[in-house]
Amino acid sequence: MDILVANVAPKDLWVGIGCQRGVSQLAIRRAIESVFAEYDLDLATIAGLATLDRKANEDGLLEYCRESGRFLKIYPPERLNSVMIVDSQLVSTLVGTASVASAAALCAAQTDILLVPKQKFRLDDESGWVTVAIARSHKNSKIIGRVTHELPLPTIFEFSDTI
């Protein structure tokens, strides 16, 4: 008798994203793929992306979420400021919070430990930067023995073909 064993990776990684206005979907995708490759992480374990509420209308970010089927959580600057990360006075002056990528990842994952600290990325032929930070959520999956059963995740945006 053959036994089929399925290895389903839990979707427990939240990717915090910061980006300059007008950054392309390609730059965001490559930034995420680059960081995941560098840290030997599986893209299939991404629960979703998180960012500052001002970035909720960024075409490149929205296109990436639609094409990849990823959730997007957004947070106001006040919520991101509640996370104890001092990242950049310039960013604080521009968008009202000292940290976007790191704080958003921590907020979305509901943890206080970054798995991957903020990484900066830019395509050679584009001027805009993308920052990526990753946090692992231990609250969104339930471990029973050796099997992980995913529980529903709260979302702000969920992209589907109907949008």
Side-chain angles (χ1 to χ4, degrees):
M1 177 168 135
D2 290 335
I3 297 175
L4 178 62
V5 177
N7 185 7
V8 179
K11 293 188 180 301
D12 61 354
L13 298 184
W14 283 94
V15 180
I17 296 287
C19 61
Q20 291 179 317
R21 285 251 176 242
V23 167
S24 70
Q25 176 268 356
L26 178 62
I28 291 169
R29 181 171 50 85
R30 291 239 177 108
I32 293 169
E33 289 172 353
S34 173
V35 171
F36 270 70
E38 182 178 342
Y39 284 85
D40 197 28
L41 299 171
D42 184 352
L43 290 166
T45 61
I46 297 175
L49 278 64
T51 194
L52 178 67
D53 57 5
R54 289 184 180 179
K55 301 297 177 183
N57 63 354
E58 280 295 321
D59 290 338
L61 182 58
L62 296 176
E63 287 172 26
Y64 175 82
C65 289
R66 277 191 198 100
E67 289 181 16
S68 65
R70 307 267 191 240
F71 295 101
L72 176 62
K73 286 186 178 184
I74 59 170
Y75 295 96
E78 301 79 30
R79 176 67 178 103
L80 297 182
N81 277 327
S82 72
V83 177
M84 290 305 185
I85 294 179
V86 177
D87 228 2
S88 168
Q89 185 58 44
L90 175 62
V91 171
S92 182
T93 301
L94 293 174
V95 297
T97 180
S99 172
V100 175
S102 299
L106 292 171
C107 287
Q110 299 177 20
T111 186
D112 58 357
I113 301 169
L114 283 173
L115 182 63
V116 176
K118 180 180 83 173
Q119 308 289 305
K120 289 179 81 172
F121 182 87
R122 183 175 65 88
L123 289 177
D124 290 335
D125 57 344
E126 286 192 25
S127 60
W129 286 92
V130 177
T131 56
V132 174
I134 302 170
R136 174 171 278 129
S137 174
H138 297 287
K139 298 178 189 284
N140 292 326
S141 59
K142 178 179 173 185
I143 308 291
I144 301 175
R146 299 173 65 86
V147 179
T148 301
H149 298 279
E150 292 181 52
L151 300 176
L153 298 171
T155 63
I156 300 297
F157 294 112
E158 182 176 353
F159 294 96
S160 69
D161 294 336
T162 58
I163 293 179

